[in-house]
Amino acid sequence: MKITFKTTSLFAALECSAKKDIRYYLQGINIQIKKIGVGMVYGCDGHILFAGQLPYDGDYVAELNIIIPTDAVKRLNKKAELTELEFDGQNYMLGGARFVPVDGKYPDTGRVIPDIDSSIDQSPGTYNPDLLIRGRAALALYLGVKPNYTFNFIQRGSDSAVMHAGTNECLVVIMPMRATNEAPFAGFNRSYM
């Protein structure tokens, strides 16, 4: 098997993958192929999830579900437009370098990504700003836009929020935080000024 896909897709998923986590299977990106010609790439750390389509060229792949370790993705040339994933029956190669896939089961991303109809009722939530920055960076990498490009952000209160570009190519799911102060305070008391 030898397939080729956009390098930026892998780096976008890596943006949301776990860096140091006891859940070793999150320390990498997940590639899943279930249909001819297009797969999905995921990166998750338990608080944020990147999901993007992964169109590919090359050999017909009936099914693939592999976790590529973080260090294998980091070795790739960031300036290369395309990257090859090969499997010769014994060894996996990514961009010409051999790697050993992470032995584990990636989380069921279908349970986390909301249906398109579930984003109708919006209510504010509390989100970690660092996750919002990582989500924006992942979408910008995937779509090839400037890092300061803004994306839609659908908040759903105590449910996950979705950041997207208005297309069906990719999205980022962000889990909310519990607010440390639940009071509906939104301003400054001017009587003390």
Side-chain angles (χ1 to χ4, degrees), residues 10 105 107 114 117-118 122 133 137 143 155 173 175 187 190-191:
L10 303 183
K105 184 170 174 23
D117 297 333
S118 65
Q122 295 186 42
I133 292 167
L143 296 167
Q155 297 182 52
V173 178
M175 298 307 295
R190 297 204 178 270
S191 62

Side-chain angles (χ1 to χ4, degrees), residues 110-122:
R111 286 184 38 225
V112 179
I113 299 172
D115 292 333
I116 198 162
D117 297 333
S118 65
S119 62
I120 294 170
D121 292 330
Q122 295 186 42

Side-chain angles (χ1 to χ4, degrees), residues 1-3 31-40 54 56-66 85 87 92:
M1 169 202 81
K2 184 188 279 190
I3 58 174
I31 293 180
Q32 295 181 20
I33 297 177
K34 297 178 183 177
K35 296 181 180 178
I36 299 171
V38 68
M40 292 294 293
L54 189 67
Y56 67 89
D57 288 323
D59 297 339
Y60 163 74
V61 178
E63 192 169 325
L64 179 68
N65 190 347
I66 185 173
L85 174 65
F87 180 62
Y92 281 97

